[in-house]
């Protein structure tokens, strides 16, 4: 009976262990995973990760085996030991043969440990050097300025022609296969730029410019996240890197460089008036209108973005209405004040914002 | 029970009255703890207990100041102070309005952020003045009460101060007004924001005639409108 209970318990324990292992493994893949690399920099990081994983796993297994062997041996010793009467002084018998053997084992293990750490050191040094420069095409680098704000990302595309420079927010479009230089800084506190599928983390420090070379080889939408605690809404400070073919990217870039489309319908015209005469205009920019404040995301092509509030909400009419009226219930502590608009005004404003393709 | 033991202790002490000094001493010692309680053999000092009580009383003061994120329920349009008439000169409102933001440190530091964001610093600098009058001195053209500052922001003033009616939410105007008053030390010191990268007055300057260099007096913008 007792034995059966013990058996049951171990069975349950094994089950729990397996479940925990499965849960842990489920984190290894898909979104926000550095084990699912889509660019050369991330591929280097992933290789280093696997090297460390295999070596450390082997070391862990060997250490566990050694531990079990020593425990079992000690048990056998006590089982066969003859009872020695207790005396005040422990009996010391020198065993030179055994001591020599133990010294050899300890020295050998230490040497192997030092060697492994040295291999890791060299591997991580070369990985670090490789990922901090454009890997394949040092010329033809696209420069994007990223500025961290509490709690969103300002993205600015540089160009030799000033009229082709533009600012957007929270979504970074990049052409596939072209190295991109991110020049990053912060407006308030320290943030950290982290898109695990594409690169490692890089801190954004106020008053200092940090650079990061990225490259994406597969088209797709990859999520990134602020990785340095920066206040109330640190968790909701996400962004997306959207990799598309060079043609698509150029088309997107040309459309973004244009000023905002003019309102067409009466409702949209009224919405624009609401925007320009209420609190919105104090912080947001819509190029082509009088709104030109830079404290909050640029809304010139707001409707072309798939999410808003730094990846917090999908860009739909309902979510937008909730956000405009009372953003504090969605993202408490964010810097957008509540807007008590008449329902007609709100609907007009939504019509206007939804038209900003 | 306790009474009984105490009496017994007295009896013991009485027995030893005629004994030698050492015996008598032990008897008294025995009585002292017997009085406290029949069981423990160690005298209990009241000090740790007192310290615990004081500490727990002190802990009561450790509540954190609340920061409200949702200032007003959506849909409720409230303007706590609305005076449409312009009153140039030292206008004093009939009722002294209390600014709730001035009792709350997070609200005042929000006011400080908004002062930058809404570009008050564009004209008033960080209190030192420039295009607009200085805010860190004790000269108030339109009054220094919270209500006066609120009205200056909402209604605007002649000679350049624009009206921010409808552009800045009501609660934020109060926060900015609180911060502006803190620039010249009119707000309690433990509430006013302290970490500054720029010049700042900590207390209201004393009523003295400032020594102006020749040729430059009070800036034109800070003069009373005639």
């Amino acid at each position: 009976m007792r034995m059966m209970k013990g058996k049951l318990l171990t069975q349950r324990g094994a089950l729990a262990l397996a479940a925990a292992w499965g849960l842990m493994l489920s984190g290894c893949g898909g979104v926000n995973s550095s084990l699912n690399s889509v660019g050369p920099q991330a591929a280097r990081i992933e290789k280093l990760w696997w090297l460390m994983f295999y070596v450390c796993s082997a070391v862990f297994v060997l250490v566990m085996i050694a531990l079990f062997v020593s425990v079992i041996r000690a048990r056998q010793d006590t089982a066969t030991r003859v009872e020695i009467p207790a005396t005040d002084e422990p009996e010391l018998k020198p065993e030179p043969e055994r001591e020599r053997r133990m010294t050899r084992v300890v020295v050998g293990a230490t040497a192997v440990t030092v060697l492994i750490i040295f291999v890791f050191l060299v591997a991580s040094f070369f990985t670090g050097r490789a990922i901090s420069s454009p890997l394949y095409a040092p010329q033809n680098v696209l420069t994007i300025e990223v500025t961290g704000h509490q709690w969103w990302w300002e993205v600015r595309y540089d160009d030799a022609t000033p009229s082709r420079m533009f600012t957007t927010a929270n979504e970074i479009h990049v052409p596939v296969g072209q190295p991109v230089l991110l020049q990053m800084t912060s407006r308030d506190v320290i943030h950290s730029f982290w898109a695990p599928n594409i690169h490692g983390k890089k801190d954004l420090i106020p008053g200092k410019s940090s650079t990061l070379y990225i490259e994406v080889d597969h088209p797709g939408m990859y999520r990134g996240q602020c990785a340095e605690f920066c206040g109330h809404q640190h968790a909701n400070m996400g962004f997306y890197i959207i990799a598309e073919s060079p043609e698509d990217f150029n088309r997107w870039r040309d459309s973004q460089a244009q000023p905002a489309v003019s309102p067409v319908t009466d409702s949209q015209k009224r919405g624009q008036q609401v925007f320009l005469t209420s609190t919105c205009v104090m912080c947001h920019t819509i190029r082509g209108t009088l709104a030109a404040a830079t404290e909050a995301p640029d809304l010139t092509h707001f409707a072309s973005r798939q999410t808003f509030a730094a990846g917090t909400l999908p860009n739909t009419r309902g979510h937008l209405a909730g956000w405009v009226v009372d953003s504090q219930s969605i993202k408490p502590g964010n810097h957008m004040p509540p807007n008590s608009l008449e329902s007609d005004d709100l609907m007009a404003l939504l019509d206007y914002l939804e038209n900003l393709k | 029970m306790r009474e009984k033991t105490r009496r017994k202790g007295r009896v013991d002490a009485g027995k030893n009255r005629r004994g030698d000094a050492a015996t008598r001493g032990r008897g008294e010692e025995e009585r002292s703890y017997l009085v406290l309680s029949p069981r423990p053999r160690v005298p209990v000092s009241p000090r740790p207990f007192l310290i615990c009580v004081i500490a727990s009383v002190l802990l009561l003061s450790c509540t954190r100041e609340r920061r409200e994120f949702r200032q007003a329920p959506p849909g409720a349009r409230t303007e706590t102070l609305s005076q449409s008439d312009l009153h140039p000169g030292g206008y004093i409102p009939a009722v002294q309005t209390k600014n709730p933001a001035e009792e709350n440190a997070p609200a005042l530091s929000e006011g400080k952020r908004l002062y930058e964001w809404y570009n008050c610093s564009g004209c008033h600098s960080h209190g030192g003045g420039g295009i607009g009058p200085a805010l860190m001195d004790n000269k108030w053209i339109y009054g220094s009460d919270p209500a006066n500052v609120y009205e200056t922001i909402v209604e605007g003033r002649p000679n350049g101060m624009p009206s921010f009616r409808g552009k800045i939410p009501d609660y934020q105007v109060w926060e900015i007004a609180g911060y502006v008053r803190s620039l010249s030390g009119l707000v309690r010191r433990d509430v006013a924001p302290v970490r500054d990268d720029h010049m700042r007055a900590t207390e209201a300057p004393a009523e003295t005639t400032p020594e102006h260099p020749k040729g430059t007096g009070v800036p034109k913008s800070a003069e009373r409108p005639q």
Side-chain angles (χ1 to χ4, degrees):
Chain A
M1 186 63 202
R2 207 169 163 194
M3 271 220 8
M4 257 179 81
K5 204 176 168 189
K7 220 176 193 176
L8 258 173
L9 273 179
T10 38
Q11 259 180 1
R12 203 176 289 170
L15 213 72
L17 209 72
W21 184 242
L23 257 178
M24 257 153 68
L25 281 180
S26 71
C28 303
V31 193
N32 267 357
S33 165
S34 29
L35 303 184
N36 189 13
S37 61
V38 294
Q41 288 90 1
R44 291 297 293 259
I45 294 172
E46 192 182 344
K47 260 186 218 160
L48 181 69
W49 194 92
W50 283 114
L51 172 74
M52 288 186 172
F53 175 77
Y54 286 129
V55 172
C56 291
S57 302
V59 170
F60 178 73
V61 169
L62 288 176
V63 168
M64 281 299 127
I65 288 172
L67 184 70
F68 276 114
V69 166
S70 60
V71 167
I72 288 163
R73 270 198 186 169
R75 270 200 177 173
Q76 280 169 349
D77 276 7
T78 38
T80 53
R81 185 177 288 163
V82 187
E83 197 66 38
I84 303 162
T87 53
D88 281 352
E89 283 177 28
E91 209 174 337
L92 294 173
K93 274 187 196 162
E95 290 177 277
E97 187 59 34
R98 199 176 169 202
E99 271 172 27
R100 225 172 293 138
R101 209 168 60 231
M102 279 166 72
T103 312
R104 266 203 300 273
V105 170
V106 169
V107 168
T110 310
V112 170
T113 308
V114 168
L115 184 74
I116 289 173
I117 290 173
F118 191 72
V119 167
F120 280 176
L121 177 77
V122 171
S124 77
F125 171 75
F126 281 106
T127 306
R129 209 169 66 160
I131 63 175
S132 60
S133 61
L135 283 175
Y136 300 120
Q139 70 278 15
N140 188 30
V141 174
L142 172 74
T143 308
I144 303 173
E145 285 172 27
V146 176
T147 309
H149 294 257
Q150 283 176 326
W151 291 272
W152 59 283
W153 307 83
E154 182 186 336
V155 184
R156 185 183 164 80
Y157 285 75
D158 271 348
D159 200 283
T161 323
S163 65
R164 278 177 54 77
M165 286 183 187
F166 63 88
T167 307
T168 178
N170 303 325
E171 285 181 16
I172 306 171
H173 285 246
V174 295
V176 162
Q178 187 184 344
V180 176
L181 170 63
L182 299 177
Q183 279 186 330
M184 306 190 291
T185 187
S186 167
R187 274 287 288 274
D188 31 52
V189 297
I190 299 177
H191 302 281
S192 188
F193 183 94
W194 189 32
N197 301 68
I198 292 164
H199 210 299
K201 295 171 190 171
K202 190 81 172 187
D203 277 9
L204 283 67
I205 296 162
K208 184 179 177 296
S209 179
S210 44
T211 56
L212 187 70
Y213 280 102
I214 62 165
E215 188 181 326
V216 188
D217 288 339
H218 304 284
M221 196 166 165
Y222 306 102
R223 201 188 147 87
Q225 173 69 36
C226 179
E228 176 71 49
F229 180 70
C230 57
H232 298 288
Q233 287 303 329
H234 162 65
N236 283 326
M237 187 173 165
F239 61 92
Y240 283 95
I241 291 185
I242 296 160
E244 48 201 5
S245 66
E247 299 81 50
D248 285 346
F249 172 74
N250 283 329
R251 209 172 303 131
W252 174 82
R253 193 174 177 170
D254 289 341
S255 76
Q256 292 284 314
Q258 300 296 318
V261 288
S262 304
V264 185
T265 65
D266 285 348
S267 178
Q268 287 167 7
K269 281 175 188 158
R270 183 175 170 184
Q272 190 183 39
Q273 283 311 306
V274 171
F275 189 93
L276 294 176
T277 54
S278 67
T279 52
C280 316
V281 76
M282 297 298 284
C283 297
H284 291 285
T285 294
I286 294 181
R287 272 174 283 134
T289 70
L290 289 173
T294 54
E295 299 296 351
D298 186 304
L299 301 178
T300 311
H301 297 284
F302 175 72
S304 72
R305 292 181 217 146
Q306 301 182 34
T307 59
F308 68 94
T312 309
L313 293 171
N315 194 352
T316 63
R317 193 181 169 91
H319 282 121
L320 187 57
W323 178 261
V324 169
V325 171
D326 189 16
S327 67
Q328 296 299 329
S329 64
I330 297 164
K331 205 170 162 178
N334 85 81
H335 291 320
M336 179 143 156
N339 291 290
S340 43
L341 297 166
E342 302 296 333
S343 63
D344 291 353
D345 286 346
L346 179 64
M347 289 303 141
L349 181 65
L350 294 176
D351 284 341
Y352 175 60
L353 291 175
E354 280 189 321
N355 191 42
L356 296 174
K357 294 267 188 254
Chain B
M1 176 74 188
R2 180 170 286 184
E3 194 53 37
K4 218 172 180 181
T5 352
R6 189 182 285 168
R7 213 178 296 138
K8 191 171 167 257
R10 278 213 197 102
V11 172
D12 284 350
K15 262 186 195 163
N16 286 327
R17 195 176 293 152
R18 264 179 289 164
D20 57 4
T23 329
R24 196 188 303 147
R26 197 167 68 222
E28 272 163 13
E29 195 187 327
E30 201 172 23
R31 189 180 64 183
S32 72
Y33 52 72
L34 279 175
V35 166
L36 278 165
S37 89
R39 282 196 66 197
R41 312 299 285 173
V42 185
V44 179
S45 159
R47 207 177 292 162
F49 176 72
L50 254 176
I51 288 170
C52 282
V53 168
I54 292 166
S56 52
V57 167
L58 281 177
L59 277 174
L60 285 178
S61 63
C62 293
T63 47
R64 201 174 167 203
E65 192 165 19
R66 272 188 73 84
R67 182 180 164 190
E68 295 294 339
F69 292 132
R70 292 184 72 191
Q71 299 292 340
R77 193 195 287 267
T78 49
E79 285 205 355
T80 42
L81 191 79
S82 179
Q83 290 155 312
S84 56
D85 305 5
L86 285 176
H87 296 275
Y91 169 69
I92 298 153
V95 188
Q96 286 270 345
T97 314
K98 220 178 156 214
N99 183 355
E102 281 180 19
E103 296 297 314
N104 186 281
L108 278 200
S109 67
E110 279 293 286
K112 182 180 170 182
R113 179 178 66 76
L114 295 167
Y115 181 87
E116 300 293 322
W117 274 36
Y118 294 151
N119 204 23
C120 308
S121 54
C123 293
H124 298 283
S125 187
H126 296 291
I131 299 168
L135 301 176
M136 60 194 284
D137 55 11
N138 58 349
K139 287 192 175 60
W140 296 88
I141 306 173
Y142 296 103
S144 64
D145 281 333
N148 296 135
V149 181
Y150 176 94
E151 204 186 289
T152 302
I153 296 170
V154 171
E155 305 291 354
R157 296 293 186 191
N159 294 334
M161 175 80 187
S163 158
F164 288 91
R165 176 184 290 282
K167 296 279 167 60
I168 302 180
D170 204 43
Y171 75 93
Q172 290 190 346
V173 178
W174 284 117
E175 286 172 354
I176 297 169
Y179 172 64
V180 165
R181 275 166 49 80
S182 81
L183 283 172
S184 44
L186 295 174
V187 171
R188 251 170 52 209
R189 228 177 181 185
D190 55 339
V191 183
V194 283
R195 286 192 302 185
D196 273 325
D197 299 331
H198 45 77
M199 56 186 169
R200 171 171 169 271
T202 46
E203 276 161 31
E207 245 351 291
T208 50
T209 22
E211 288 173 39
H212 291 296
K214 268 176 193 166
T216 60
V218 181
K220 195 85 184 154
S221 53
E223 281 173 6
R224 264 168 184 263
Q226 299 303 313

